Amino acid sequence: MTDRRILVVGAGPAGLSAAATLAQAGQRVVVVDQAPQIGGTVYAQNRTGDTRPLSHAKERRALFDVVAAQRERIDIHCSTSFVGLDYQGNALITGADGFLFQPKAVIMATGARELVQPRPGWTLPGVTSVGALQVDLKTAGRPPEGRIAIAGSGSLLYALGAQLTRAGKAPAVIFDAAHPFLHPLATARLPLHILQEATGFILTLIRARVPILSGTRILSVEEKKGALSLKTNHGGRFRTVEVDRLGLHDGLARNDYGLQKNPTIPVIAAGDCRDVLGRFAAVKDGNRVAAEILNLLGTPAPGISLTSLNTEKAAQRRLKSIFAHDGCNDLNDLPDETILCRCENRSVADLKALTATDQTPRMLRLNGRFGMGACQGRFCLDWVAKLTAAEMGSGPSRPQRWPLRPVLIAEILNAADHSGNETHIEESAKCTFR
Amino acid sequence: MTGHILWNDRDVPYEQGETLAQALNRAGITHLGTGLAGQSRSVFCGIGQCQNCLVILEGKGPCEACRVLCADGLAVSPVGTPHD
């Protein structure tokens, strides 16, 4: 029998726990992550050499220790991307380490996709996703310069707000489209660990007197004298606020990009990319999917209890109801010049012109270029689908093909061919387990 | 460990562990160029999904500024800059 390895894409909680479970069962695992360090976005490590404690330090430590104990069987390639799987089951890996090999199974643990609703001006420099600000804070260990506003909806607004405050830089304001504080009953029924974390965030924000304006939406963003001018709407009352940075966030979604069926080997999703249940569930889901793979390979698999997964699932449903709002209706009122597709610079007017003629969902891509850009529709197709639901139901079709991300031809040519043999593939970048 | 990267031949200092995007943003450079379709290049998702922060790494080609770590003397330019 050949000693083929199992590929795990993503070194966040789901990917790392899956890798550890597989290694404990005697399997050899190759983990790739396109970030320079392991941990994913939630356990992103401070890279500056600063040794102050990081957020979620204890959970991160516990996860890293399990992986470190199995390091002999787990290769970890950071700054390295999974590009795709051909029909024969060859995986192309590029980046810091480039190679082609034949895994015996693939676990996709690429994490959630952050949703950001289009608004006029959301493509301006200085406007980022809330996730981007959070990863920036975690990895640089210090907040960005200037006044920061956080807007949209979801628990991440408060997480980032509190983390910035604790790092010495309270945000200027938080605009929440929903009314999360008007749901005390649903809130009280959240699991204790979520409630404790949320209470900590809110207390931090209150103590720092950060203005939290719920039921408030950003109508537009403009660049004025080097700053960002935000026009907000609170139930018909309009205001203008000036900041230097704006973080936008409208929830998290599962991420099935790259989850292609393969005729030769199993490809299974784990963690937030399968279902957004948060970091605790992701660790458990990694164990669960690893056991599933072991069963498929006909090797003994550990029994995994699904109780905690179900608890997290119920909690996420509750959180969704707490942060529910009708802000998506704003999509229909977006001015014509609003950019929908950031990659190809396609606007609401471009979409309207297409839907006015008789178009199929496929033609929205081919003629409209929606979903054809470098991000492959990750940031526009949700909204294009909502805006065209009346005309074409399902919305534009989603490309399910590789490469999963833009790749340089030179990288394909330079990938070392390991498809025929099973020698160890050197890790060029040393990843740390802080 | 600190050093400088080159942005359009301008020296931009970085500190250990910073990505190109972090060093450029800290130097006040948030506009990273203009794409072929006229779109403004800047950091958006911060984790290599959206491709909005593509810049040209000398000797290599396009890359995401949010994913690449700084190294001393690394020359970086906006997408669309003519090459010699």
Side-chain angles (χ1 to χ4, degrees), chain A residues 34 36 41 47-48 112 125 127-129 132 136 139-140 142 255 342-345 374-375 379 405-406 408 411, chain B residues 15-19 22 26 30-31 37-40 42-45 47-52 60 62 64 67 69:
Chain A
Q34 57 179 11
T41 53
R47 290 192 294 259
T48 61
V127 182
T128 68
S129 73
D136 191 44
T139 56
R142 62 170 158 196
N255 182 5
R342 305 174 62 94
C343 298
E344 301 276 321
N345 221 24
C375 86
F379 290 87
R405 46 173 283 106
L408 299 173
E411 288 188 307
Chain B
E15 287 174 21
Q16 181 189 332
E18 276 188 318
T19 59
Q22 282 169 331
R26 202 159 48 76
T30 52
H31 178 71
Q39 70 278 48
S40 191
S42 58
V43 176
F44 182 63
C45 82
I47 56 168
Q49 283 186 349
C50 77
Q51 307 291 315
N52 268 216
K60 190 163 181 288
E64 299 115 318
R67 284 207 312 128
L69 295 181

Side-chain angles (χ1 to χ4, degrees), chain A residues 262-341:
Chain A
N262 192 275
T264 54
I265 56 169
V267 181
I268 306 183
D272 273 8
C273 76
R274 182 184 68 82
D275 192 3
V276 184
L277 301 178
R279 63 185 195 276
F280 299 105
V283 170
K284 196 80 190 168
D285 206 40
N287 300 145
R288 185 189 65 79
V289 169
E292 194 180 330
I293 295 269
L294 290 169
N295 277 323
L296 285 171
L297 297 174
T299 53
I304 307 287
S305 151
L306 298 180
T307 322
S308 62
L309 270 182
N310 294 333
T311 312
E312 298 293 335
K313 197 164 202 160
Q316 290 300 324
R317 260 204 310 274
R318 212 153 268 150
L319 276 173
K320 221 170 205 162
S321 75
I322 293 169
F323 286 103
H325 64 89
D326 63 354
C328 286
N329 296 341
D330 291 359
L331 275 178
N332 298 314
D333 303 329
L334 284 177
D336 277 356
E337 65 276 14
T338 313
I339 299 300
L340 286 177
C341 158

Side-chain angles (χ1 to χ4, degrees), chain A residues 82-84 113 255-260 341-344 365 369-382 396-407, chain B residues 48-52:
Chain A
F82 171 58
V83 176
R113 224 159 26 91
N255 182 5
D256 53 4
Y257 282 85
L259 195 70
Q260 294 153 295
C341 158
R342 305 174 62 94
C343 298
E344 301 276 321
R365 284 209 295 125
R369 310 272 323 146
F370 291 101
M372 290 286 272
C375 86
Q376 299 183 323
R378 286 167 171 86
F379 290 87
C380 73
L381 285 189
D382 297 280
S397 57
R398 258 257 299 279
Q400 282 293 352
R401 47 149 196 249
W402 65 312
L404 304 178
R405 46 173 283 106
V407 57
Chain B
Q49 283 186 349
C50 77
Q51 307 291 315
N52 268 216

Side-chain angles (χ1 to χ4, degrees), chain A residues 4-9 22 27-30 82 85 89 91 101-108 262 264-268 289-290 292-294 296-297:
Chain A
R4 280 164 63 192
R5 279 159 284 203
I6 296 171
L7 172 63
V8 174
V9 182
L22 291 168
Q27 300 289 330
R28 292 200 301 153
V29 187
V30 172
F82 171 58
L85 203 57
F101 82 120
Q102 276 193 316
K104 59 180 170 184
V106 179
I107 295 180
M108 294 296 287
N262 192 275
T264 54
I265 56 169
V267 181
I268 306 183
V289 169
E292 194 180 330
I293 295 269
L294 290 169
L296 285 171
L297 297 174

Side-chain angles (χ1 to χ4, degrees), chain A residues 58-386:
Chain A
K58 241 172 145 175
E59 300 152 26
R60 176 194 285 102
R61 186 74 268 152
L63 180 65
F64 286 5
D65 283 349
V66 183
V67 176
Q70 299 294 326
R71 199 67 172 89
E72 254 174 51
R73 288 204 183 86
I74 305 175
D75 289 349
I76 303 177
H77 302 274
C78 288
S79 296
T80 301
S81 309
F82 171 58
V83 176
L85 203 57
D86 73 9
Y87 69 99
Q88 290 173 312
N90 291 301
L92 176 60
I93 309 294
T94 64
D97 299 321
F99 52 94
L100 193 69
F101 82 120
Q102 276 193 316
K104 59 180 170 184
V106 179
I107 295 180
M108 294 296 287
T110 51
R113 224 159 26 91
E114 190 171 7
L115 298 177
V116 180
Q117 216 172 296
R119 298 148 170 99
W122 72 310
T123 54
L124 287 170
V127 182
T128 68
S129 73
V130 161
L133 282 170
Q134 206 181 24
V135 169
D136 191 44
L137 176 65
K138 287 176 184 176
T139 56
R142 62 170 158 196
E145 308 277 323
R147 301 154 292 176
I148 306 166
I150 304 172
S153 123
S155 51
L156 209 58
L157 306 186
Y158 301 92
L160 173 68
Q163 286 157 350
L164 283 170
T165 306
R166 287 167 193 163
K169 179 63 166 285
V173 56
I174 296 178
F175 297 113
D176 191 332
H179 291 276
F181 304 107
L182 297 183
H183 304 271
L185 290 178
T187 306
R189 293 178 65 198
L190 287 169
L192 192 61
H193 62 275
I194 293 183
L195 211 49
Q196 276 173 336
E197 190 170 49
T199 311
F201 290 156
I202 300 300
L203 284 179
T204 299
L205 292 168
I206 290 175
R207 272 198 291 265
R209 295 165 197 261
V210 174
I212 299 173
L213 303 174
S214 47
T216 306
R217 298 179 202 151
I218 302 241
L219 292 178
S220 67
V221 188
E222 279 175 67
E223 197 164 20
K224 273 192 186 154
K225 290 181 209 142
L228 298 169
S229 172
L230 321 179
K231 198 168 278 165
T232 65
N233 178 7
H234 174 78
R237 271 176 293 153
F238 301 96
R239 242 181 89 183
T240 305
V241 180
E242 198 177 273
V243 293
D244 301 294
R245 302 287 298 262
L246 170 64
L248 294 173
H249 174 86
D250 293 288
L252 295 168
R254 65 190 289 265
N255 182 5
D256 53 4
Y257 282 85
L259 195 70
Q260 294 153 295
K261 275 213 173 76
N262 192 275
T264 54
I265 56 169
V267 181
I268 306 183
D272 273 8
C273 76
R274 182 184 68 82
D275 192 3
V276 184
L277 301 178
R279 63 185 195 276
F280 299 105
V283 170
K284 196 80 190 168
D285 206 40
N287 300 145
R288 185 189 65 79
V289 169
E292 194 180 330
I293 295 269
L294 290 169
N295 277 323
L296 285 171
L297 297 174
T299 53
I304 307 287
S305 151
L306 298 180
T307 322
S308 62
L309 270 182
N310 294 333
T311 312
E312 298 293 335
K313 197 164 202 160
Q316 290 300 324
R317 260 204 310 274
R318 212 153 268 150
L319 276 173
K320 221 170 205 162
S321 75
I322 293 169
F323 286 103
H325 64 89
D326 63 354
C328 286
N329 296 341
D330 291 359
L331 275 178
N332 298 314
D333 303 329
L334 284 177
D336 277 356
E337 65 276 14
T338 313
I339 299 300
L340 286 177
C341 158
R342 305 174 62 94
C343 298
E344 301 276 321
N345 221 24
R346 305 292 284 166
S347 66
V348 170
D350 293 327
L351 185 66
K352 280 183 183 166
L354 275 170
T355 46
T357 62
D358 203 13
Q359 296 283 342
T360 60
R362 185 161 175 270
M363 293 319 271
L364 280 190
R365 284 209 295 125
L366 299 184
N367 287 343
R369 310 272 323 146
F370 291 101
M372 290 286 272
C375 86
Q376 299 183 323
R378 286 167 171 86
F379 290 87
C380 73
L381 285 189
D382 297 280
W383 318 116
V384 173
K386 278 208 165 97

Side-chain angles (χ1 to χ4, degrees), chain A residues 9-25:
Chain A
V9 182
L16 289 181
S17 80
T21 306
L22 291 168
Q24 281 159 4

